[in-house]
């Protein structure tokens, strides 16, 4: 087990390194001149540009620049935005709480509702709750989150006037009303998938012989469902559950834009439109690290849930 | 009849499945009685409804099934000779009453030990699950001690270690012993074994069957054995029921069925089994044709299309059961002169 974990972490480090190199090379070749970009049209002259280029080491070979970038990352310096000049670390850290605030809640709520309704739908197959759950699952899967955002605003802000349609911090009063709609818009699509997976895997497992054997022991149905069916349905569910964690880092561009929510999603969109490649690079790398860690976590949890999974290969 | 201790009494059991909006009859008017301490074999080819019959009795059926019967009675005999009757046919599938019977009174051993154990729990915990359920307040340690004791009796080496294993760490024969331990842990009176050895090696098959026989004889338990293996029947059964397409075609003691097989199907079934010492060049008989689709059967004898003695009479109405000798019933028009018993 320990050997496997060490091996896995080492491979992860190598993979992150390779991914980062690909990102670095790709973005270096986008054709955007960072110096011209940061100087702006008014201040630009060939001499100043050359001087800055020399000072920042942009004339060095790519590989040297790449390792310098990594060296800085190890020192905690993620570089600077070339569009606005802010330190990437500070800029992102400042925006992150806003993103976490809605994504974390959306994840927690959608997990509880998704798994909960999925279980109930499996328990009462073809009941009203099952049909309702399946309808929501289809909607959640087929409609983008900004659609829900717009519908929610239309209903709760414009028609009913109950909740604010945009902004994070109101001029006065509680902040909770501002949170509700963005969280709901994020949570609905997340719910759908989870519901469907939970329901379908549970129904699959319910047909297994060992479930019949469990019933033949005379244990009550709720125990059959929780102990025997649910536990065995958890592996695929955990996989989709954990892969959703990336929104904690990336935020949701669409939802943040619709609700004018000052999160990292908006920073990322701005960076992309402004060809602010250090920022884009940082994000892509961060996302890659996140994805790799999640799949590692999924493998570990899979082994915890199912004793048949042997981690040593 | 009165002094016999009938532990299970099934009268006119019918089970149908809903499929594409149609009801397809899988088990038709099945009636039988099982005496305490005896073993009953239900034989027949795949799909003849033998599993469905016992699953209908224990109410472990899929949701799309419809079960009806005149009665299904389970009798619990007390020390003083009195008996308590349970009307299983009036109970709900997973209700409290039915659950109180499953485990301490009626238990089951399933066909495929590879699939019968939950892969994510240690086998010890799976054995004691029923025990703890039916004995509220029992300590887990005490239950585990009982499980280890039982495994020792079932011939499992180092049971203290085995209870900590997960199912995938055990061999097929070992798993089936665990499944048997699960069935026995609550000391049930009636054990229903649904093709318990089909998925196992021949050598292991013999061991498992010997084990079941020993349990039945030594502890005076009643067993229903479902099988298509005629060899097992001769070793295990006191009484035999032969089923074809959901109907009992012949019923009697082991002797009745093997010495005086009366239904054409039973005869052909026995003739198709290889016998040790068979003359060289002698061929095994096969039954011509294949089993009909249950949805196509409407009236008359289900075996008519494959039967060499089939007459026009065989294709009409309900075929009654006739008595061959006392307790030996056959459902065939050939015996129309005999007394009708079903």
């Amino acid at each position: 087990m320990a050997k496997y974990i060490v091996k896995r972490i080492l491979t992860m480090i190598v993979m992150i390194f390779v991914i980062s190199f690909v990102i670095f090379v790709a973005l270096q070749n986008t054709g955007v001149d960072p110096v011209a970009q940061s100087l702006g049209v008014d201040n630009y002259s060939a001499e100043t540009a050359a001087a800055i280029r020399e000072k920042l080491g942009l004339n060095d070979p790519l590989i040297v620049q790449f390792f310098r970038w990594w060296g800085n990352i190890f020192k905690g310096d993620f570089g600077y935005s070339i569009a606005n000049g802010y330190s990437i670390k500070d800029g992102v850290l400042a925006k992150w709480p806003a993103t976490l605030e809605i994504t974390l809640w959306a994840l927690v709520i959608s997990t509880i509702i998704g798994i909960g309704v999925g279980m109930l739908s499996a328990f009462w197959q073809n009941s009203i709750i099952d049909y309702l759950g399946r309808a929501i699952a289809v909607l959640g899967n087929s409609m983008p989150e900004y659609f829900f955002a717009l519908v929610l605003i239309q209903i709760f802000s414009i028609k009913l006037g109950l909740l604010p349609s945009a902004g994070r911090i109101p001029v006065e009063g509680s902040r909770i009303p501002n949170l509700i709609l963005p969280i709901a818009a994020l949570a609905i699509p997340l719910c759908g998938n989870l519901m469907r997976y939970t329901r379908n895997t549970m129904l699959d497992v319910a047909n297994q012989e060992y479930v019949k054997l469990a019933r033949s022991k005379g244990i009550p149905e709720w125990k059959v469902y929780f102990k025997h069916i649910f536990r065995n349905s958890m592996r695929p569910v955990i996989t989709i559950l954990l892969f959703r964690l990336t929104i904690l880092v990336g935020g949701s561009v669409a939802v943040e834009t619709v609700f004018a929510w000052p999160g990292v999603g908006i920073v990322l969109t701005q960076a992309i439109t402004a060809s602010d490649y250090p920022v884009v690079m940082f994000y892509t790398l961060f996302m890659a690290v996140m994805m790799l860690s999640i799949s590692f976590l999924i493998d570990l949890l899979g082994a915890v849930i199912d004793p048949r999974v042997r981690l040593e290969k | 009849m009165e002094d016999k201790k009938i532990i299970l009494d099934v009268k006119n059991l019918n089970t149908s499945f809903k499929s594409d909006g149609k009801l397809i009859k899988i088990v038709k008017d099945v009636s039988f009685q099982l005496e305490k301490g005896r073993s009953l074999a239900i034989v027949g080819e795949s799909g003849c409804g033998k599993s469905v019959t016992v699953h209908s009795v224990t109410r472990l059926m899929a949701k799309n099934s419809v079960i009806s019967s005149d009665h299904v009675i389970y009798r619990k005999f007390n020390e003083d000779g009195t008996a308590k009757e349970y009307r299983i046919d009036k109970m709900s599938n997973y209700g409290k009453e039915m659950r109180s019977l499953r485990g301490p009174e009626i238990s089951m051993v399933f066909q495929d030990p590879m699939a019968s154990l939950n892969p994510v729990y240690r086998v010890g915990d799976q054995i004691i699950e029923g025990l703890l359920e039916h004995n509220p307040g029992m300590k887990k340690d005490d239950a585990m001690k009982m499980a280890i004791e039982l495994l020792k009796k079932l011939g499992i080496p180092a049971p203290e270690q085995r209870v900590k294993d997960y199912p995938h760490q055990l061999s097929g024969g070992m798993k089936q012993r665990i499944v048997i331990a699960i069935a026995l842990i609550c000391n049930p009176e009636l054990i229903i074994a649904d093709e318990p050895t089909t998925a196992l090696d021949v050598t292991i098959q013999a061991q498992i069957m010997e084990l079941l026989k020993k349990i039945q004889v030594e502890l005076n338990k009643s067993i229903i054995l479902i099988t298509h293996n005629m060899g097992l029947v001769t070793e295990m059964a006191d009484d035999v029921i032969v089923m074809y397409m959901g109907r009992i075609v012949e019923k009697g003691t082991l002797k009745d069925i093997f010495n005086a097989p009366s239904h054409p199907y039973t005869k052909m079934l026995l003739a198709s089994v290889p016998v040790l010492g068979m003359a060289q060049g002698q061929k095994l008989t096969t039954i011509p044709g294949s089993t009909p689709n249950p949805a196509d059967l409407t009236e008359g004898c289900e075996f008519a299309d494959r039967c060499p003695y089939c007459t026009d009479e065989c294709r009409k109405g309900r075929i009654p059961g006739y008595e061959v000798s006392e307790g030996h019933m056959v459902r065939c028009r050939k015996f129309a002169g005999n007394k009708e018993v079903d």
Side-chain angles (χ1 to χ4, degrees):
Chain A
M1 183 82 170
K3 199 176 148 200
Y4 171 83
I5 293 175
V6 170
K7 217 165 104 187
R8 198 53 206 268
I9 290 173
L10 288 176
T11 1
M12 245 168 77
I13 291 172
V14 174
M15 280 177 78
I16 288 167
F17 213 66
V18 172
I19 292 170
S20 71
F21 188 72
V22 173
I23 298 168
F24 191 82
V25 173
L27 286 168
Q28 287 285 341
N29 289 307
T30 46
V32 179
D33 181 355
V35 178
Q37 190 86 8
S38 57
L39 280 173
V41 184
D42 302 339
N43 300 327
Y44 185 82
S45 74
E47 294 83 57
T48 27
I52 290 173
R53 217 178 284 278
E54 189 57 43
K55 190 177 152 225
L56 293 179
L58 295 181
N59 295 328
D60 295 339
L62 203 61
I63 196 79
V64 175
Q65 291 189 47
F66 174 69
F67 281 106
R68 188 185 300 136
W69 179 52
W70 262 112
N72 288 338
I73 288 177
F74 280 122
K75 281 184 250 158
D77 175 8
F78 291 92
Y80 293 86
S81 157
I82 52 174
N84 304 315
Y86 62 80
S87 145
I88 291 173
K89 199 171 87 184
D90 297 344
V92 169
L93 282 183
K95 301 286 183 187
W96 211 359
T99 290
L100 277 182
E101 201 169 49
I102 52 172
T103 50
L104 209 56
W105 276 113
L107 278 174
V108 170
I109 291 169
S110 64
T111 303
I112 294 169
I113 295 179
I115 292 182
V117 174
M119 283 177 80
L120 293 177
S121 315
F123 194 82
W124 288 299
Q125 197 191 349
N126 297 329
S127 65
I128 293 168
I129 191 159
D130 185 21
Y131 285 124
L132 220 66
R134 273 147 75 182
I136 294 171
V138 170
L139 275 179
N141 273 334
S142 50
M143 308 270 191
E145 48 201 17
Y146 60 81
F147 171 80
F148 292 109
L150 294 174
V151 170
L152 289 171
I153 289 176
Q154 186 67 27
I155 298 172
F156 292 99
S157 306
I158 298 173
K159 286 268 158 60
L160 300 174
L162 289 174
L163 298 164
S165 66
R168 182 175 175 225
I169 295 163
V171 184
E172 56 182 23
S174 163
R175 289 188 45 231
I176 293 169
N178 290 56
L179 283 167
I180 294 173
L181 290 187
I183 291 172
L186 279 173
I188 294 170
L190 291 176
C191 266
N193 222 353
L194 204 54
M195 255 180 221
R196 222 189 47 178
Y197 260 88
T198 309
R199 172 187 181 272
N200 292 353
T201 43
M202 279 187 76
L203 286 177
D204 275 353
V205 174
N207 285 326
Q208 299 288 321
E209 279 285 297
Y210 58 77
V211 174
K212 200 157 77 180
L213 183 83
R215 287 195 169 116
S216 82
K217 293 175 187 171
I219 59 174
E221 276 297 278
W222 67 267
K223 275 191 193 163
V224 172
Y225 270 82
F226 271 96
K227 268 186 80 176
H228 293 275
I229 300 179
F230 185 62
R231 171 89 187 263
N232 280 287
S233 318
M234 268 334 308
R235 261 180 79 199
V237 172
I238 285 233
T239 307
I240 63 158
L241 192 81
L242 290 181
F243 269 121
R244 307 176 326 163
L245 291 179
T246 46
I247 67 160
L248 291 178
V249 176
S252 163
V253 176
V255 168
E256 286 178 11
T257 310
V258 172
F259 288 100
W261 197 264
V264 286
I266 287 184
V267 179
L268 183 60
T269 343
Q270 284 167 353
I272 292 170
T273 36
S275 305
D276 197 346
Y277 76 75
V279 179
V280 178
M281 237 156 64
F282 166 76
Y283 259 110
T284 322
L285 184 66
F286 203 171
M287 209 61 118
V289 172
M290 186 85 180
M291 284 302 249
L292 287 172
S293 320
I294 288 171
S295 61
F296 180 42
L297 195 65
I298 288 172
D299 288 354
L300 285 185
L301 276 177
V304 171
I305 291 172
D306 190 339
R308 283 172 301 181
V309 176
R310 294 264 71 84
L311 290 178
E312 289 88 356
K313 271 166 202 135
Chain B
M1 202 62 190
E2 293 310 305
D3 52 335
K4 277 188 192 167
K5 287 182 161 183
I6 304 296
I7 191 165
L8 186 69
D9 187 349
V10 178
K11 184 88 185 150
N12 284 332
L13 178 75
N14 282 280
T15 304
S16 311
F17 284 109
K18 268 184 238 156
S19 166
D20 296 331
K22 273 189 292 186
L23 268 184
I24 295 172
K25 294 184 96 178
I26 300 297
V27 170
K28 302 159 198 166
D29 299 331
V30 165
S31 305
F32 64 90
Q33 292 184 324
L34 174 64
E35 234 179 286
K36 186 171 159 58
R38 282 176 81 87
S39 65
L40 167 72
I42 303 180
V43 293
E45 55 197 31
S46 306
C48 72
K50 33 190 209 297
S51 281
V52 176
T53 302
V54 290
H55 282 91
S56 302
V57 169
T58 53
R59 297 303 198 91
L60 290 169
M61 292 292 292
K63 280 179 184 158
N64 64 340
S65 60
V66 183
I67 305 170
S68 68
S69 62
D70 290 354
H71 66 237
V72 176
I73 298 171
Y74 173 82
R75 281 194 193 84
K76 181 181 181 177
F77 295 97
N78 300 318
E79 299 275 319
D80 56 8
T82 56
K84 193 180 173 205
E85 277 193 7
Y86 294 89
R87 286 293 298 265
I88 292 181
D89 53 315
K90 297 233 163 85
M91 297 179 181
S92 74
N93 288 2
Y94 306 117
K96 215 173 173 177
E97 251 190 320
M98 190 66 234
R99 283 195 282 109
S100 73
L101 290 181
R102 282 189 201 126
E105 300 298 331
I106 306 173
S107 70
M108 298 192 78
V109 176
F110 295 104
Q111 184 168 359
D112 186 0
M114 316 296 158
S116 296
L117 294 170
N118 192 327
V120 303
Y121 294 110
R122 294 175 199 281
V123 292
D125 292 328
Q126 299 194 49
I127 295 172
I128 63 170
E129 188 180 16
L131 194 60
L132 294 174
E133 182 65 38
H134 295 290
N135 299 284
M138 180 181 261
K139 284 206 184 71
K140 211 188 148 185
D141 287 352
D142 297 335
M144 199 58 91
K145 269 183 207 134
M146 286 177 74
I148 290 168
E149 205 52 46
L150 179 60
L151 291 182
K152 210 178 276 168
K153 273 190 210 149
L154 294 179
I156 292 183
E160 295 84 1
Q161 270 78 56
R162 290 294 80 76
V163 292
K164 291 181 195 127
D165 283 345
Y166 287 100
H168 69 275
Q169 294 167 302
L170 302 174
S171 67
M174 224 33 124
K175 276 186 209 162
Q176 195 61 312
R177 280 166 211 256
I178 300 289
V179 173
I180 291 173
I182 291 175
L184 293 179
I185 191 79
C186 292
N187 197 23
E189 287 305 320
L190 171 60
I191 299 155
I192 298 175
D194 184 357
E195 306 206 26
T197 58
T198 309
L200 301 172
D201 290 345
V202 184
T203 47
I204 310 291
Q205 279 186 13
Q207 290 175 14
I208 297 284
M209 289 322 295
E210 260 167 49
L211 194 66
L212 281 173
K213 186 73 194 169
K214 209 174 105 191
I215 293 159
Q216 188 234 330
V217 174
E218 280 178 10
L219 305 172
N220 196 29
K221 304 291 183 196
S222 314
I223 286 189
I224 296 179
L225 172 72
I226 297 175
T227 183
H228 51 243
N229 184 336
M230 285 297 179
L232 290 186
V233 174
T234 52
E235 280 167 42
M236 282 291 291
D238 301 315
D239 302 307
V240 180
I241 285 176
V242 182
M243 282 183 81
Y244 184 78
M245 293 316 286
R247 218 181 272 283
I248 295 181
V249 294
E250 190 161 358
K251 174 165 81 171
T253 62
L254 181 69
K255 261 196 186 143
D256 291 339
I257 302 293
F258 276 79
N259 296 349
S262 302
H263 196 281
Y265 176 65
T266 316
K267 283 183 188 164
M268 292 166 101
L269 203 60
L270 290 173
S272 64
V273 178
V275 182
L276 209 60
M278 201 180 235
Q280 208 171 20
Q282 190 182 342
K283 282 197 176 120
L284 283 176
T285 6
T286 54
I287 303 177
S290 55
T291 45
N293 182 346
D296 298 336
L297 295 171
T298 45
E299 59 168 345
C301 175
E302 280 82 4
F303 194 57
D305 286 339
R306 302 170 79 182
C307 181
Y309 314 103
C310 174
T311 63
D312 287 347
E313 278 297 290
C314 295
R315 299 189 186 272
K316 283 179 211 149
R318 179 183 176 276
I319 316 284
Y322 301 99
E323 188 175 65
V324 181
S325 58
E326 206 199 324
H328 183 182
M329 183 276 276
V330 62
R331 194 181 302 282
C332 180
R333 290 267 190 226
K334 269 175 40 179
F335 293 81
N338 297 22
K339 193 175 116 192
E340 269 187 40
V341 284
D342 182 32

